[in-house]
Amino acid sequence: MPDAIISVQRVSKQVSDATGTLTILHEIDFELQPRESAAIVGASGSGKSTLLGIIAGLDVPSSGRVTLAGIDLFALDEDARAAARARQLGFVFQSFQLLGNLTALENVMLPLELLGAPNARARATEMLGRVGLAQRLAHYPRTLSGGEQQRVALARAFVVEPAVLLADEPTGSLDFATGERVMQLMFDMNREAGTTLLLVTHDADIAARCDRQLHLEAGRLTPPTA
C-alpha cells in the first residue's frame, strides 16, 4: 500500500472562554491514501469544519499531528504551512471565496501566479473551458450565477494540480439541480486528475459516492454503521 497522503494522528482541539474549556475534537486518528475519496459527516456542531481546517493547516490543533504528503504541517511556521498548502492543496468552499474585483479568468490565474507557475493565463483559460465557462472569462463574480461561481472555484482549485482537494459543504449555497451538476463535475475532475478528495457534507447521497465516510459525533470519530 502506498504511503498515506494525509495522516491525522491523535488530533484534539480545545477552545476556552469565560465559561471554561470546550473540546471540539477528541483524539482523531485516520489516514487517506492517494486517489482515495472520503466524506466527513455528522450533525451540525460535531467538529467537521474544524477538522477540515486543521487538515488544511488553516487552524492549529491543541494536540496531535497532521502530515500532508509526508510533511508534518505543525512542525512548520505559518509561512511554510502556507507554502505547503499552495503546492499540495486545492480548496472549494460553500461560499465560493472568489475575489470580487477579479474576473473569472483572473481568479483562476491567481494561485498559479502566486506559485510563479509559467503560462498562467493559458492554463487558467483551459481549465475554465473544462468547467464549461469558456464564454465567461471576463465576467466578474457578481455577474455569475451561484453555480457558475462554484465552477470558477472548482477551476481555481484544480488548476494547480493539487495532490489533495478539500471541499467544505461545496453545494450548500446551491439549489438541488445545480448542486448535482457541480458535484458530478467535481467527482469527474477528481477522478481524471487522480487527486485525493476529502469533503465535508450533510448530504447522505454525496457522502455515499465517496470511497469512505468518516462519522463525527460530538468531536469523536465513530465506527460506521453496517
Side-chain angles (χ1 to χ4, degrees):
M1 182 176 290
D3 291 336
I5 188 73
I6 295 172
S7 178
V8 178
Q9 302 168 28
R10 299 178 68 84
V11 163
S12 295
K13 178 69 176 182
Q14 290 92 28
V15 294
S16 298
D17 61 18
T19 64
T21 300
L22 173 66
T23 299
I24 300 173
L25 296 172
H26 299 259
E27 297 196 340
I28 304 296
D29 278 290
F30 70 91
E31 292 186 341
L32 289 179
Q33 303 301 321
R35 306 179 73 94
E36 192 172 11
S37 62
I40 303 173
V41 299
S44 179
S46 59
K48 302 187 300 296
S49 292
T50 299
L51 177 57
L52 198 71
I54 289 173
I55 292 167
L58 294 169
D59 196 0
V60 178
S62 302
S63 60
R65 186 168 180 258
V66 175
T67 60
L68 172 65
I71 301 166
D72 185 345
L73 284 181
F74 300 105
L76 306 176
D77 63 25
E78 191 170 341
D79 288 343
R81 279 202 304 277
R85 276 198 302 274
R87 291 191 304 269
Q88 301 288 347
L89 295 178
F91 296 87
V92 180
F93 298 97
Q94 176 178 338
S95 55
F96 318 135
Q97 299 287 347
L98 300 178
L99 297 177
N101 61 329
L102 300 183
T103 65
L105 179 61
E106 290 165 343
N107 266 283
V108 179
M109 287 173 61
L110 183 61
L112 293 170
E113 292 174 330
L114 292 174
L115 287 171
N119 305 316
R121 179 174 292 273
R123 289 170 64 180
T125 299
E126 178 186 5
M127 188 58 69
L128 283 164
R130 289 183 64 191
V131 300
L133 293 176
Q135 307 305 314
R136 296 286 190 269
L137 303 184
H139 287 62
Y140 289 91
R142 66 179 178 274
T143 69
L144 301 174
S145 69
E148 288 172 334
Q149 290 185 62
Q150 194 60 295
R151 281 188 279 157
V152 174
L154 272 180
R156 182 182 60 187
F158 276 104
V159 77
V160 296
E161 300 178 353
V164 176
L165 179 70
L166 303 179
D168 192 359
E169 298 283 9
T171 62
S173 297
L174 306 175
D175 64 76
F176 178 79
T178 302
E180 283 289 297
R181 288 193 295 271
V182 166
M183 285 309 305
Q184 185 61 54
L185 179 61
M186 177 182 293
F187 279 109
D188 288 347
M189 293 181 69
N190 192 70
R191 197 162 42 246
E192 292 167 15
T195 57
T196 299
L197 172 64
L198 182 61
L199 60 89
V200 165
T201 184
H202 65 277
D203 188 316
D205 291 335
I206 291 173
R209 296 173 68 177
C210 295
D211 298 326
R212 292 168 58 195
Q213 296 182 34
L214 302 168
H215 296 258
L216 270 180
E217 186 174 333
R220 300 180 188 273
L221 273 184
T222 62
T225 55

